[in-house]
Amino acid sequence: MLEQLPPTQRAEAQVLLQVAPLLIGAAALLGRADADAERKALAVVLEQAADLAAAGEAAGSLWLAAAATLRTLAGWLAGAPVDLDALAEPYRGLMRQVME
């Protein structure tokens, strides 16, 4: 299926497929008032994943955008106000769908 996409869209889809499980997990925990310890633990995992995603990447990289999204969600899990507009697309749209 990915092979049918143009190269740019294929690359974006590959990055999104790798970070989507973390984003979905974060969204699930954001909605749970009883998950403080789990939110904190996942925030650490998201920060680590963001560091890995950003390592060695050049400005404009799809991985840098993914890393920024992971860091934003880590902040939300740590108590920062949730602001979907702080996310770049396609992450904003994905999180909007997952959180509604």
Side-chain angles (χ1 to χ4, degrees), residues 3-100:
E3 301 81 33
Q4 297 172 350
L5 295 173
T8 304
Q9 288 179 337
R10 186 178 324 129
E12 186 175 81
Q14 289 171 328
V15 171
L16 190 56
L17 284 171
Q18 290 188 51
V19 298
L22 293 171
L23 304 180
I24 293 166
L29 289 178
L30 284 169
R32 289 188 42 209
D34 64 338
D36 242 9
E38 290 143 309
R39 279 197 300 273
K40 288 177 184 173
L42 185 55
V44 170
V45 170
L46 293 178
E47 287 287 352
Q48 291 170 343
D51 290 344
L52 288 173
E57 294 295 321
S61 160
L62 295 172
W63 283 108
L64 285 181
T69 299
L70 293 169
R71 286 191 178 99
T72 298
L73 267 66
W76 295 353
L77 289 169
V82 174
D83 177 12
L84 290 173
D85 291 330
L87 302 176
E89 288 297 347
Y91 303 104
R92 181 183 318 124
L94 173 65
M95 292 304 294
R96 185 165 281 133
Q97 287 178 351
V98 170
M99 293 176 74
E100 290 178 350

